[in-house]
Amino acid sequence: MNRIIAILITIFYLSCGVTAQERTDTPFPADSVGGEDLIVSIVTCDPGPDVYELCGHAALRIRNAQMDSVWNYGIFDFTSPNFIYRFCKGETDYMVYGYQFDRFMPAYVRRGSKVTEQVLDLTQEEARRLRALVQVESRPENRVYRYNYVRDNCATRPWKRVTEASVRDIHMPDTLYYPTFRSEMRHFHRNYPWYQFGIDLVLGSGLDYPMAKDEDIFAPPVLSAKIAEATIGGRPLVKETNVIFPGYVDATLPPTPWWRTPMAVGIVMLLLSIGTMFVYLKSGKLWKWWIFLYFFAAGIAGCIVTFLVFCSEHEATSPNVLIYWLNPLQLIVAAGIWFKSWRTPVSAMAAYDFVMAVVLIVLFAAGLTPQKANPAVWPMLLSVIPLAVIVLLNTGALKVTYKEYKK
């Protein structure tokens, strides 16, 4: 339970889609243009071990004989006022900075991520147009942008600048690598089930609509794969691919053992809830601590989900059908189970929980809502049903006992 709560609390100050880096101390000077014969590349860094590195990172590299610069759209100023609160609220202000390429590489070498460079077949006119665009964009008055982890991030921005600078038509392959944003996230988070579980709880149906063409490039490895097949003016867009740093085959962590996954925890929760009901019906003994822990965790998670639904500007936090389950009202049951004077509100919440759990299970099972539930939600949500029955029996709202039922 503590692990679930910790992930829910931290999930929105971490980037869900790209690697975020703290602001560098000195930007690449806007007037450091160097000579001609510019070489433009998209640099892709493979996923790393930390949760904010799971989708990798991308940046623009522009160089010639006189200079070698990288233009990084994943910069944030962690020291800005109220950074954590503003990030959670959705005020995700990132920046683009240009600086020497040799300052870009050490972080990826340390974590063992493969770094690949795709040299683009741009004309010198297009390369100069691109350089001018990023130089203007990186000025102090222009460099801040409102980051969106699936629509406007470190992968989508560089690609947009390339298309803006090109005077020729660029054609990307029509194939979508993943049908929805959530399915793409789940692929890159596959070895981090608790992280994905947190994302699936707090992000609603906005992640489950079919993606339009090219929307899957929010993940840098997908951008890299698609531009490898792209054409410009009828010719291949990528004229050369270089591995700058080979890294590990996979720098992410190994798969989480099944017994430490959310599904395993959910099954234990369901067994405890069924056991609690069985013990109560047989002996009248009430396991108050388990009822308290379950509804307390649901209530705390509900506070986070409610804040994100009603206050956050983050993509896809609303609508979220799980708010009918995870909401602050669950704290009424958690607290009221200890006090007889709370019987009326506790009974009302228990009746609501029983109906709500049945309805949500039917909606998810029948596919009547576009939102896709994390698999671990099933046993956790099913746990509500026996617990709600126990509470209703204990408060007297239901008067049928196991022995009376047998008669």
Side-chain angles (χ1 to χ4, degrees):
M1 288 296 180
N2 291 335
R3 192 171 186 180
I4 295 173
I5 295 169
I7 288 175
L8 288 170
I9 293 172
T10 60
I11 193 169
F12 276 106
Y13 76 83
L14 296 176
S15 165
C16 294
V18 298
T19 297
Q21 300 178 355
E22 282 196 62
R23 175 177 172 174
T24 53
D25 54 356
T26 306
F28 194 86
D31 57 354
S32 299
V33 297
E36 297 303 324
D37 299 326
L38 294 173
I39 300 173
V40 175
S41 310
I42 288 184
V43 177
T44 303
C45 308
D46 280 6
D50 291 326
V51 292
Y52 58 87
E53 302 168 341
L54 293 182
C55 287
H57 189 49
L60 278 172
R61 184 184 187 185
I62 303 176
R63 69 186 191 276
N64 60 15
Q66 284 72 40
M67 60 89 187
D68 188 355
S69 63
V70 65
W71 303 83
N72 189 346
Y73 288 83
I75 305 296
F76 62 81
D77 188 355
F78 191 78
T79 63
S80 61
N82 303 314
F83 175 83
I84 298 297
Y85 171 76
R86 288 188 296 103
F87 203 112
C88 292
K89 191 174 182 294
E91 298 175 0
T92 48
D93 291 336
Y94 273 47
M95 295 176 287
V96 54
Y97 260 65
Y99 50 95
Q100 295 289 351
F101 185 73
D102 59 7
R103 294 174 53 203
F104 176 81
M105 287 297 299
Y108 304 100
V109 173
R110 283 195 300 269
R111 79 187 198 196
S113 295
K114 180 181 178 180
V115 180
T116 306
E117 174 188 47
Q118 293 168 295
V119 180
L120 306 183
D121 191 13
L122 301 183
T123 65
Q124 284 302 300
E125 176 190 359
E126 291 167 335
R128 287 193 293 270
R129 283 164 56 92
L130 178 60
R131 182 182 63 187
L133 283 173
V134 296
Q135 285 178 334
V136 170
E137 190 176 24
S138 65
R139 291 173 181 170
E141 65 272 21
N142 300 329
R143 66 169 60 113
V144 177
Y145 73 98
R146 182 56 53 86
Y147 162 85
N148 180 303
Y149 51 77
V150 293
R151 301 189 188 279
D152 196 358
N153 63 22
C154 77
T156 62
R157 280 237 164 186
W159 176 246
K160 185 176 181 181
R161 296 298 169 261
V162 169
T163 58
E164 289 173 347
S166 176
V167 297
R168 296 169 291 167
D169 290 334
I170 297 179
H171 178 72
M172 291 274 271
D174 295 332
T175 305
L176 280 171
Y177 280 55
Y178 304 93
T180 66
F181 292 113
R182 195 185 305 273
S183 63
E184 185 165 341
M185 287 181 177
R186 285 180 175 178
H187 169 77
F188 288 101
H189 304 163
R190 59 191 180 276
N191 289 349
Y192 295 68
W194 284 101
Y195 182 54
Q196 184 60 48
F197 176 72
I199 289 175
D200 286 339
L201 288 190
V202 299
L203 298 186
S205 58
L207 292 185
D208 295 301
Y209 293 104
M211 285 193 285
K213 179 187 176 182
D214 298 345
E215 285 188 326
D216 55 350
I217 66 169
F218 75 90
V222 176
L223 172 64
S224 177
K226 296 192 79 167
I227 65 174
E229 303 177 46
T231 60
I232 182 169
R235 301 175 53 180
L237 174 61
V238 177
K239 64 179 180 180
E240 182 181 334
T241 300
N242 303 312
V243 176
I244 301 175
F245 177 68
Y248 305 127
V249 175
D250 185 355
T252 63
L253 298 179
T256 301
W258 70 267
W259 48 272
R260 293 174 54 190
T261 63
M263 176 58 79
V265 172
I267 292 172
V268 171
M269 292 169 66
L270 179 58
L271 292 175
L272 278 172
S273 299
I274 294 173
T276 301
M277 183 174 68
F278 180 78
V279 169
Y280 183 79
L281 291 175
K282 291 290 287 183
S283 66
K285 185 177 181 181
L286 186 63
W287 291 355
K288 288 186 177 181
W289 276 107
W290 171 239
I291 297 173
F292 166 78
L293 286 173
Y294 181 92
F295 287 102
F296 179 77
I300 295 300
C303 291
I304 298 170
V305 171
T306 301
F307 171 80
L308 292 172
V309 167
F310 292 105
C311 302
S312 177
E313 299 176 20
H314 271 292
E315 181 80 11
T317 56
S318 179
N320 184 346
V321 298
L322 292 179
I323 195 172
Y324 295 107
W325 168 40
L326 301 176
N327 60 70
L329 295 178
Q330 302 296 353
L331 295 173
I332 294 174
V333 182
I337 195 67
W338 302 101
F339 306 108
K340 292 183 178 180
S341 60
W342 285 42
R343 285 189 173 188
T344 299
V346 169
S347 297
M349 273 304 301
Y352 164 82
D353 281 333
F354 183 90
V355 175
M356 171 275 305
V358 172
V359 170
L360 284 182
I361 289 169
V362 171
L363 289 176
F364 285 131
L368 298 177
T369 173
Q371 185 170 336
K372 304 301 181 184
N374 188 282
V377 163
W378 287 94
M380 294 181 185
L381 189 55
L382 282 168
S383 300
V384 175
I385 296 175
L387 293 181
V389 170
I390 296 168
V391 172
L392 289 170
L393 289 171
N394 185 63
T395 58
L398 283 178
K399 298 185 182 299
V400 178
T401 66
Y402 179 76
K403 292 181 179 179
E404 290 172 341
Y405 172 76
K406 293 294 288 185
K407 292 179 181 179

